[in-house]
């Protein structure tokens, strides 16, 4: 790498510039969506800073509460949730917020209300907070169907209706991956500038991968086809090399690696969790299941990057649990 040339780069594509460029393609745009994204970016920067100094600021450990999923909340969980809720409300562009950390949806007061509904997990992978493993924020944005008093139905829409989605990973670097429906792009935070810089334009999953990612501690509870598929990854009978196991336990980190290197990431349903554990915003007023991974991939060709589910259906149109992979559907038997 030519560090000297890199140090003199002046034409940087920041995430703000990128979003404004996309906005210019829509003359009817009023800039509301761009403002909302800028507040999400601000929240990501704040959480990144908090994660980096968690040990020094005594932000590690349990907060003494559980979230709506019955998981013990860490101090950073609570802080991150508070940061994003306040950032989103202060944008003046949101009407409903749904967080994994809150039991009830938040309806923004009329004086600060906008057109957008935001669903988010403020800090995914919180079980890894105390040991310094990569964790992240996941978010998706919907628009109200029409002008009316907002209701939960405005959130409980299929993924096809989502305007944008992404995640921000806090690890060796802070990386924000975003899709607004026309490709998937990755931005890395430059601490010296305080700006996210475009470093991974137009991300596409490699057609072939050498990695499988799954929690094999749950193997005894898997159904037959799932166990058989993982066995084929480890002991292929066609003479090919076995796949390598890589499992971090933070969905954002496992998904990010899969996006860049290819392979398969899965958290299949089993006897213990018959509906799986990748939660999708779907269900009745009191029952939200979150399943974000597919949303950033919606602009990719499903001919090459198959979404394998039970039953085999486009996961963006229906609330299903399944498996994501960068292999042809004929190669996957979930």
């Amino acid at each position: 790498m030519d560090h000297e040339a890199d140090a003199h780069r002046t034409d940087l594509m920041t995430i703000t510039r990128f979003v404004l460029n996309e906005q210019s393609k829509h003359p009817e745009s009023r800039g509301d969506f761009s403002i909302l994204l800028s507040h999400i970016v601000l929240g990501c920067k704040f959480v990144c800073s908090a994660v980096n100094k968690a040990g020094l600021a005594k932000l590690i450990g349990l907060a003494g509460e559980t979230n709506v999923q019955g998981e013990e909340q860490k101090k950073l969980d609570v802080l991150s949730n508070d940061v994003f809720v306040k950032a989103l409300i202060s944008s003046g562009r949101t009407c409903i917020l749904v967080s994994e950390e809150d039991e009830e949806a938040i309806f923004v007061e009329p004086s600060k209300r906008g057109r957008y509904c935001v669903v988010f997990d403020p800090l995914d992978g919180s079980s890894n907070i105390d040991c310094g493993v990569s964790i992240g924020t996941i978010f998706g944005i919907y628009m109200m169907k029409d002008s009316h008093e907002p209701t939960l139905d405005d959130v409980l829409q299929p993924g096809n209706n989502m305007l944008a989605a992404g995640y921000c990973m806090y690890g060796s670097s802070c990386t924000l991956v975003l899709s607004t429906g026309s490709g998937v792009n990755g931005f890395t935070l430059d601490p010296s500038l305080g700006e996210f810089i475009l470093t991974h334009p137009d991300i596409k999953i490699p057609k072939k991968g050498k990695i499988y990612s799954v929690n094999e501690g749950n193997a005894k509870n898997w159904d037959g086809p799932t166990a058989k598929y993982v066995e084929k990854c480890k002991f292929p009978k066609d003479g090919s090399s076995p796949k390598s196991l890589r499992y971090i336990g933070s969905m954002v980190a496992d998904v990010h690696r899969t996006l860049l290197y290819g392979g398969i990431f899965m958290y299949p349903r089993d006897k213990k969790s018959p509906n799986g554990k990748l939660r999708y915003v779907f269900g009745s007023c009191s029952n939200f299941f979150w399943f974000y991974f597919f949303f950033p991939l919606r602009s990719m060709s499903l001919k090459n990057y198959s979404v394998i589910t039970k039953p085999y259906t486009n996961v963006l149109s229906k609330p299903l649990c399944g498996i994501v992979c960068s292999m042809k559907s004929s190669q996957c038997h979930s």
Side-chain angles (χ1 to χ4, degrees), residues 92-327:
R93 302 301 186 275
T94 58
C95 56
I96 307 175
L97 308 179
V98 181
S99 168
E100 190 187 33
E101 301 301 325
D102 294 327
E103 186 171 354
E104 302 289 341
I106 298 173
F107 290 85
V108 179
E109 61 183 272
S111 63
K112 298 180 180 178
R113 189 173 291 169
R115 301 182 292 166
Y116 297 103
C117 309
V118 182
V119 293
F120 61 99
D121 184 345
L123 205 59
D124 170 68
S126 56
S127 60
N128 288 320
I129 289 174
D130 295 356
C131 58
V133 174
S134 295
I135 50 183
T137 297
I138 312 170
F139 62 90
I141 303 172
Y142 291 98
M143 183 184 287
M144 283 184 60
K145 298 174 183 177
D146 48 52
S147 298
H148 62 269
E149 189 69 16
T151 68
L152 286 175
D153 288 337
D154 293 307
V155 178
L156 301 178
Q157 302 182 48
N160 283 326
N161 293 348
M162 192 165 273
L163 299 181
Y167 59 83
C168 188
M169 184 179 68
Y170 315 111
S172 57
S173 61
C174 180
T175 304
L176 194 155
V177 176
L178 174 69
S179 173
T180 56
S182 57
V184 182
N185 295 277
F187 304 81
T188 302
L189 181 63
D190 184 335
S192 64
L193 299 176
E195 289 280 1
F196 280 99
I197 308 299
L198 180 63
T199 52
H200 297 78
D202 197 22
I203 300 173
K204 287 185 170 59
I205 305 176
K207 292 185 177 180
K208 289 187 178 180
K210 301 178 180 179
I211 296 171
Y212 75 100
S213 181
V214 65
N215 184 356
E216 292 210 55
N218 294 326
K220 69 176 183 178
N221 296 316
W222 291 342
D223 60 19
T226 301
K228 184 178 179 181
Y229 175 74
V230 174
E231 188 74 6
K232 286 177 64 177
C233 287
K234 295 189 287 187
F235 306 104
K237 297 180 180 179
D238 59 0
S240 61
S241 299
K243 302 291 187 290
S244 298
L245 171 65
R246 297 286 186 274
Y247 184 72
I248 299 170
S250 292
M251 183 181 168
V252 167
D254 283 312
V255 165
H256 189 68
R257 184 198 56 247
T258 304
L259 271 175
L260 297 184
Y261 298 162
I264 180 170
F265 163 72
M266 54 186 176
Y267 207 125
R269 63 184 183 182
D270 55 29
K271 297 174 184 176
K272 187 171 62 174
S273 303
N275 292 318
K277 291 191 70 175
L278 299 181
R279 297 180 285 274
Y280 190 113
V281 185
F282 179 82
S284 63
C285 295
S286 60
N287 201 8
F288 292 94
F289 295 95
W290 297 70
F291 193 167
Y292 293 91
F293 174 74
F294 298 102
F295 300 144
L297 306 184
R298 65 180 180 159
S299 58
M300 294 185 177
S301 170
L302 291 179
K303 294 179 181 178
N304 296 323
Y305 308 103
S306 299
V307 176
I308 311 305
T309 63
K310 288 185 175 182
Y312 301 122
T313 309
N314 182 353
V315 76
L316 288 175
S317 63
K318 293 185 179 181
L320 302 171
C321 286
I323 295 176
V324 185
C325 66
S326 60
M327 305 175 185

